[in-house]
Amino acid sequence: MADLSTVVRFIIDENPPARLDKALARDVPEQATLSRSRIAKLLAEGAVRVDGVVATDAKAGVAEGAEVEITVPQAAESHIGAQEIPLSVVWEDHDLIVIDKPAGMVVHPAPGSPDGTLVNALIHHCGDDLSGVGGAKRPGIVHRIDKDTSGLLVVAKTDRAHQGLAIQFEKHSAERHYLALCHGMPDPNDPRLRGVKGASFEPGSVLKIQTMLGRHRTDRQRQAVSFDQGRHAVTRVKVMEAFAASALVECRLETGRTHQIRVHMSHAGHALIGDPVYGGRRKLSEKTHSARAVMLAAGFGRQALHAASLGFTHPATGEKLRFDSPLPADMAELLAALRG
């Protein structure tokens, strides 16, 4: 069988970073579309030569002027199967696709959800248009939303797009705004809320929640707030519409940690309506809401959270893109009842 590998050759430029993997990621030709994580895998596989010698240590040093040769194998077919699942496509071109994901759909196959996922659907939808993202012909997932959160998600179809989008999400330059229905109303005049560690108010009555997030100590399926370990997380919350004992809020992510909005809102004492994990046993009361609102909230089968807008720079064209998604039917119905 013919070797269909591609060989990428280049010279290490002046003042290289101390680590080989960082130097390679900096100087590899842009048209090779090799991300740092992809380069790390190729290093581990012995596919990188520096001055004719195989290099596998990502932490090794490298000198200016060193000659690098990277052998990139042909992308393999993904082990994830294609499935004909309807998709709501908001935007699509050669490099990327923006999907309005329904609640109930898992983004990527995992134990407990081996198929029926967004990735299965995308592999079927995109067919041969997929490039070798990460070494396999599959869509590049650069951010995720929970199974029972609805809304907008951008997915890379090419290595170039995957790398460009990943940088934007890593640097927090991509815009992500969520709409949520929560218990209570985040009020800057609420002394209880001002006493919550990590919570503060910015101009415009914007609630800023800044903590660290990590795995819960006893329940590994949950995330938990911490102030001495975990990953830095920042959420900003603005009340869009207030009701007697609930609110429609806009949540803006500065970081994108697992379950971040849900955990932060619960930490602030304003858990999302319907949240089965972080919502506790909170219920709406007929003293403050209509019987219909109480009924709908009690039967709401998921966290009332929707990824309503998404903005980023197109990684290939440089065009500024922004997309908006209306509230799905279940949240719109609940919102109407709260207003009533």
Side-chain angles (χ1 to χ4, degrees):
M1 182 180 294
D3 184 0
L4 299 178
S5 299
T6 300
V7 179
V8 179
R9 296 182 176 88
F10 59 98
I11 305 295
I12 295 297
D13 206 347
E14 61 183 11
N15 299 320
R19 291 174 55 114
L20 175 59
D21 56 350
K22 291 184 178 180
L24 296 178
R26 186 195 71 172
D27 294 340
V28 68
E30 185 176 347
Q31 60 268 27
T33 61
L34 292 176
S35 65
R36 184 177 166 190
S37 60
R38 181 78 172 112
I39 288 171
K41 291 179 182 178
L42 292 168
L43 274 168
E45 294 167 1
V48 178
R49 288 179 177 270
V50 178
D51 289 332
V53 179
V54 173
T56 58
D57 184 1
K59 298 180 181 179
V62 63
E64 174 186 333
E67 298 181 358
V68 178
E69 182 179 285
I70 303 178
T71 302
V72 183
Q74 182 185 36
E77 293 297 327
S78 174
H79 69 281
I80 302 171
Q83 291 181 288
E84 188 173 0
I85 301 170
L87 290 173
S88 176
V89 178
V90 178
W91 168 282
E92 183 175 13
D93 61 17
H94 173 72
D95 291 283
L96 55 86
I97 183 170
V98 177
I99 299 295
D100 197 343
K101 186 188 83 69
M105 175 181 275
V106 174
V107 171
H108 199 283
S113 303
D115 54 23
T117 71
L118 177 63
V119 169
N120 295 111
L122 286 168
I123 290 175
H124 178 273
H125 174 85
C126 297
D128 293 335
D129 287 342
L130 290 176
S131 184
V133 177
K137 288 187 176 180
R138 57 180 174 80
I141 302 299
V142 293
H143 70 125
R144 305 188 189 197
I145 53 180
D146 296 340
K147 173 185 176 182
D148 289 324
T149 298
S150 54
L152 297 168
L153 191 80
V154 60
V155 181
K157 294 167 61 177
T158 65
D159 287 336
R160 172 176 61 179
H162 193 189
Q163 188 171 357
L165 289 170
I167 290 172
Q168 292 181 58
F169 279 90
E170 181 180 351
K171 293 184 176 180
H172 316 308
S173 61
E175 293 183 42
R176 286 174 289 171
H177 299 171
Y178 290 72
L179 290 176
L181 294 168
C182 68
H183 289 280
M185 195 275 281
D187 184 351
N189 297 314
D190 181 355
R192 179 205 60 81
L193 188 53
R194 287 192 171 275
V196 173
K197 188 174 181 179
S200 62
F201 277 90
E202 297 180 330
S205 298
V206 174
L207 170 63
K208 179 182 179 182
I209 308 170
Q210 181 172 328
T211 72
M212 302 183 82
L213 290 182
R215 294 281 187 184
H216 193 280
R217 292 181 179 178
T218 58
D219 186 347
R220 304 302 290 173
Q221 301 302 312
R222 299 179 60 183
Q223 299 293 306
V225 163
S226 174
F227 293 93
D228 56 10
Q229 60 183 354
R231 303 180 72 186
H232 179 68
V234 180
T235 306
R236 287 179 171 84
V237 184
K238 183 176 180 62
V239 175
M240 306 302 289
E241 200 169 343
F243 311 108
S246 58
L248 171 68
V249 297
E250 178 189 67
C251 301
R252 299 192 178 197
L253 292 178
E254 181 175 312
T255 57
R257 311 305 181 200
T258 301
H259 298 177
Q260 179 176 316
I261 291 174
R262 299 166 62 191
V263 179
H264 270 173
M265 291 298 288
S266 179
H267 173 69
H270 296 287
L272 303 189
I273 293 174
D275 193 329
V277 178
Y278 304 101
R281 298 182 179 180
R282 294 187 68 168
K283 297 180 179 180
L284 298 186
S285 169
E286 289 193 18
K287 294 180 180 179
T288 51
H289 295 83
S290 69
R292 177 169 175 75
V294 171
M295 177 194 72
L296 288 174
F300 207 77
R302 66 180 183 98
Q303 61 271 6
L305 182 62
H306 178 65
S309 65
L310 176 65
F312 55 89
T313 300
H314 194 292
T317 68
E319 181 184 1
K320 297 286 187 181
L321 298 177
R322 181 185 171 89
F323 305 96
D324 295 288
S325 169
L327 282 180
D330 59 348
M331 283 186 65
E333 183 182 25
L334 177 55
L335 177 59
L338 293 173
R339 286 170 174 160

mmCIF file of all heavy atoms in Angstrom, residues 20 36 41 77 92-94 114 135 147 150 170 199 204 216 223 241 252 255 308 312 327:
data_model
loop_
_atom_site.group_PDB
_atom_site.id
_atom_site.type_symbol
_atom_site.label_atom_id
_atom_site.label_comp_id
_atom_site.label_asym_id
_atom_site.label_seq_id
_atom_site.Cartn_x
_atom_site.Cartn_y
_atom_site.Cartn_z
ATOM 1 N N LEU A 20 10.547 22.191 23.192
ATOM 2 C CA LEU A 20 10.478 21.800 21.784
ATOM 3 C C LEU A 20 9.064 21.901 21.237
ATOM 4 O O LEU A 20 8.864 22.421 20.140
ATOM 5 C CB LEU A 20 11.002 20.369 21.619
ATOM 6 C CG LEU A 20 10.891 19.759 20.213
ATOM 7 C CD1 LEU A 20 11.649 20.591 19.193
ATOM 8 C CD2 LEU A 20 11.384 18.308 20.221
ATOM 9 N N ARG A 36 -0.905 22.603 18.578
ATOM 10 C CA ARG A 36 0.097 22.156 19.548
ATOM 11 C C ARG A 36 -0.232 20.753 20.071
ATOM 12 O O ARG A 36 0.671 19.928 20.254
ATOM 13 C CB ARG A 36 0.181 23.157 20.702
ATOM 14 C CG ARG A 36 1.276 22.818 21.697
ATOM 15 C CD ARG A 36 1.388 23.862 22.791
ATOM 16 N NE ARG A 36 2.199 23.372 23.894
ATOM 17 C CZ ARG A 36 2.324 23.982 25.055
ATOM 18 N NH1 ARG A 36 1.689 25.116 25.257
ATOM 19 N NH2 ARG A 36 3.071 23.464 26.009
ATOM 20 N N LYS A 41 1.130 14.849 19.920
ATOM 21 C CA LYS A 41 0.867 13.452 19.572
ATOM 22 C C LYS A 41 1.886 12.931 18.567
ATOM 23 O O LYS A 41 2.359 11.794 18.668
ATOM 24 C CB LYS A 41 -0.548 13.321 18.996
ATOM 25 C CG LYS A 41 -1.658 13.547 20.005
ATOM 26 C CD LYS A 41 -3.035 13.425 19.352
ATOM 27 C CE LYS A 41 -4.144 13.704 20.345
ATOM 28 N NZ LYS A 41 -5.488 13.631 19.708
ATOM 29 N N GLU A 77 -9.986 7.107 9.222
ATOM 30 C CA GLU A 77 -11.431 7.199 9.383
ATOM 31 C C GLU A 77 -11.759 7.154 10.873
ATOM 32 O O GLU A 77 -11.161 6.412 11.636
ATOM 33 C CB GLU A 77 -12.131 6.042 8.658
ATOM 34 C CG GLU A 77 -12.002 6.089 7.147
ATOM 35 C CD GLU A 77 -12.664 7.320 6.535
ATOM 36 O OE1 GLU A 77 -13.685 7.778 7.083
ATOM 37 O OE2 GLU A 77 -12.149 7.821 5.525
ATOM 38 N N GLU A 92 -22.922 27.249 7.670
ATOM 39 C CA GLU A 92 -21.970 26.216 7.277
ATOM 40 C C GLU A 92 -21.162 26.695 6.087
ATOM 41 O O GLU A 92 -21.698 27.289 5.153
ATOM 42 C CB GLU A 92 -22.688 24.905 6.936
ATOM 43 C CG GLU A 92 -21.727 23.772 6.580
ATOM 44 C CD GLU A 92 -22.413 22.430 6.345
ATOM 45 O OE1 GLU A 92 -23.653 22.422 6.207
ATOM 46 O OE2 GLU A 92 -21.704 21.413 6.307
ATOM 47 N N ASP A 93 -19.859 26.446 6.135
ATOM 48 C CA ASP A 93 -19.001 26.646 4.978
ATOM 49 C C ASP A 93 -17.934 25.560 4.996
ATOM 50 O O ASP A 93 -18.071 24.561 5.709
ATOM 51 C CB ASP A 93 -18.410 28.065 4.947
ATOM 52 C CG ASP A 93 -17.529 28.382 6.158
ATOM 53 O OD1 ASP A 93 -17.105 27.439 6.852
ATOM 54 O OD2 ASP A 93 -17.261 29.567 6.403
ATOM 55 N N HIS A 94 -16.881 25.744 4.217
ATOM 56 C CA HIS A 94 -15.854 24.704 4.110
ATOM 57 C C HIS A 94 -15.179 24.421 5.445
ATOM 58 O O HIS A 94 -14.783 23.284 5.722
ATOM 59 C CB HIS A 94 -14.801 25.130 3.082
ATOM 60 C CG HIS A 94 -13.615 24.203 3.020
ATOM 61 N ND1 HIS A 94 -13.682 22.941 2.465
ATOM 62 C CD2 HIS A 94 -12.338 24.360 3.477
ATOM 63 C CE1 HIS A 94 -12.490 22.354 2.572
ATOM 64 N NE2 HIS A 94 -11.659 23.186 3.174
ATOM 65 N N PRO A 114 -23.002 6.244 23.922
ATOM 66 C CA PRO A 114 -22.077 5.827 22.861
ATOM 67 C C PRO A 114 -22.471 6.284 21.469
ATOM 68 O O PRO A 114 -21.638 6.310 20.569
ATOM 69 C CB PRO A 114 -22.120 4.297 22.967
ATOM 70 C CG PRO A 114 -23.486 3.997 23.499
ATOM 71 C CD PRO A 114 -23.790 5.122 24.457
ATOM 72 N N GLY A 135 -5.950 14.067 13.556
ATOM 73 C CA GLY A 135 -5.459 12.802 13.011
ATOM 74 C C GLY A 135 -6.545 11.856 12.565
ATOM 75 O O GLY A 135 -6.272 10.788 12.034
ATOM 76 N N LYS A 147 -25.805 18.244 27.866
ATOM 77 C CA LYS A 147 -26.851 17.492 27.171
ATOM 78 C C LYS A 147 -28.192 18.210 27.234
ATOM 79 O O LYS A 147 -28.878 18.362 26.221
ATOM 80 C CB LYS A 147 -26.980 16.099 27.796
ATOM 81 C CG LYS A 147 -28.164 15.285 27.270
ATOM 82 C CD LYS A 147 -28.312 13.979 28.018
ATOM 83 C CE LYS A 147 -29.556 13.213 27.554
ATOM 84 N NZ LYS A 147 -29.744 11.946 28.308
ATOM 85 N N SER A 150 -29.841 23.794 25.711
ATOM 86 C CA SER A 150 -30.085 23.988 24.287
ATOM 87 C C SER A 150 -29.252 25.158 23.781
ATOM 88 O O SER A 150 -28.727 25.949 24.558
ATOM 89 C CB SER A 150 -31.573 24.265 24.040
ATOM 90 O OG SER A 150 -32.011 25.352 24.844
ATOM 91 N N GLU A 170 -9.685 29.618 24.068
ATOM 92 C CA GLU A 170 -8.671 29.591 25.119
ATOM 93 C C GLU A 170 -8.391 30.995 25.638
ATOM 94 O O GLU A 170 -8.189 31.204 26.839
ATOM 95 C CB GLU A 170 -7.389 28.969 24.567
ATOM 96 C CG GLU A 170 -6.262 28.866 25.589
ATOM 97 C CD GLU A 170 -5.006 28.251 25.005
ATOM 98 O OE1 GLU A 170 -5.048 27.745 23.865
ATOM 99 O OE2 GLU A 170 -3.963 28.279 25.693
ATOM 100 N N ALA A 199 -18.849 36.554 45.111
ATOM 101 C CA ALA A 199 -19.883 37.322 44.408
ATOM 102 C C ALA A 199 -19.670 38.810 44.636
ATOM 103 O O ALA A 199 -19.391 39.252 45.758
ATOM 104 C CB ALA A 199 -21.270 36.911 44.881
ATOM 105 N N GLY A 204 -23.952 48.752 36.404
ATOM 106 C CA GLY A 204 -25.082 48.226 35.648
ATOM 107 C C GLY A 204 -25.768 47.077 36.354
ATOM 108 O O GLY A 204 -26.535 46.330 35.733
ATOM 109 N N HIS A 216 -16.519 17.562 42.461
ATOM 110 C CA HIS A 216 -17.065 17.426 43.809
ATOM 111 C C HIS A 216 -16.316 16.305 44.528
ATOM 112 O O HIS A 216 -15.952 15.297 43.921
ATOM 113 C CB HIS A 216 -18.558 17.097 43.711
ATOM 114 C CG HIS A 216 -19.300 17.238 45.000
ATOM 115 N ND1 HIS A 216 -19.262 16.266 45.981
ATOM 116 C CD2 HIS A 216 -20.101 18.222 45.474
ATOM 117 C CE1 HIS A 216 -20.019 16.647 46.997
ATOM 118 N NE2 HIS A 216 -20.524 17.834 46.719
ATOM 119 N N GLN A 223 -19.719 19.204 39.689
ATOM 120 C CA GLN A 223 -18.665 20.185 39.912
ATOM 121 C C GLN A 223 -18.975 20.925 41.214
ATOM 122 O O GLN A 223 -20.124 20.968 41.661
ATOM 123 C CB GLN A 223 -18.606 21.179 38.753
ATOM 124 C CG GLN A 223 -18.300 20.542 37.410
ATOM 125 C CD GLN A 223 -16.892 19.977 37.336
ATOM 126 O OE1 GLN A 223 -15.919 20.680 37.600
ATOM 127 N NE2 GLN A 223 -16.770 18.709 36.986
ATOM 128 N N GLU A 241 -35.292 40.357 33.168
ATOM 129 C CA GLU A 241 -36.704 40.537 33.532
ATOM 130 C C GLU A 241 -36.913 39.906 34.906
ATOM 131 O O GLU A 241 -36.529 38.746 35.122
ATOM 132 C CB GLU A 241 -37.591 39.862 32.480
ATOM 133 C CG GLU A 241 -39.027 40.353 32.464
ATOM 134 C CD GLU A 241 -39.793 39.853 31.243
ATOM 135 O OE1 GLU A 241 -39.162 39.408 30.268
ATOM 136 O OE2 GLU A 241 -41.032 39.916 31.283
ATOM 137 N N ARG A 252 -23.048 35.633 30.987
ATOM 138 C CA ARG A 252 -21.929 35.747 30.058
ATOM 139 C C ARG A 252 -20.722 35.020 30.642
ATOM 140 O O ARG A 252 -20.346 35.256 31.784
ATOM 141 C CB ARG A 252 -21.580 37.213 29.807
ATOM 142 C CG ARG A 252 -22.709 38.009 29.186
ATOM 143 C CD ARG A 252 -22.242 39.356 28.704
ATOM 144 N NE ARG A 252 -23.329 40.099 28.065
ATOM 145 C CZ ARG A 252 -23.148 41.145 27.266
ATOM 146 N NH1 ARG A 252 -21.923 41.560 27.012
ATOM 147 N NH2 ARG A 252 -24.170 41.770 26.731
ATOM 148 N N THR A 255 -14.950 32.433 31.299
ATOM 149 C CA THR A 255 -14.294 31.133 31.157
ATOM 150 C C THR A 255 -15.379 30.114 30.804
ATOM 151 O O THR A 255 -16.566 30.418 30.887
ATOM 152 C CB THR A 255 -13.595 30.729 32.455
ATOM 153 O OG1 THR A 255 -14.570 30.726 33.521
ATOM 154 C CG2 THR A 255 -12.489 31.699 32.811
ATOM 155 N N ALA A 308 -27.878 31.367 23.859
ATOM 156 C CA ALA A 308 -28.685 32.221 22.988
ATOM 157 C C ALA A 308 -27.886 32.970 21.933
ATOM 158 O O ALA A 308 -28.427 33.311 20.874
ATOM 159 C CB ALA A 308 -29.475 33.217 23.834
ATOM 160 N N PHE A 312 -17.677 35.048 17.173
ATOM 161 C CA PHE A 312 -16.257 34.715 17.041
ATOM 162 C C PHE A 312 -15.751 35.244 15.705
ATOM 163 O O PHE A 312 -16.536 35.681 14.854
ATOM 164 C CB PHE A 312 -16.039 33.194 17.128
ATOM 165 C CG PHE A 312 -16.851 32.395 16.138
ATOM 166 C CD1 PHE A 312 -16.364 32.117 14.864
ATOM 167 C CD2 PHE A 312 -18.117 31.931 16.480
ATOM 168 C CE1 PHE A 312 -17.114 31.400 13.950
ATOM 169 C CE2 PHE A 312 -18.880 31.205 15.574
ATOM 170 C CZ PHE A 312 -18.377 30.939 14.305
ATOM 171 N N LEU A 327 -35.418 31.575 22.227
ATOM 172 C CA LEU A 327 -35.702 30.589 23.268
ATOM 173 C C LEU A 327 -36.451 29.401 22.688
ATOM 174 O O LEU A 327 -37.373 29.579 21.888
ATOM 175 C CB LEU A 327 -36.547 31.212 24.384
ATOM 176 C CG LEU A 327 -35.860 32.096 25.415
ATOM 177 C CD1 LEU A 327 -36.892 32.608 26.415
ATOM 178 C CD2 LEU A 327 -34.745 31.359 26.137
#
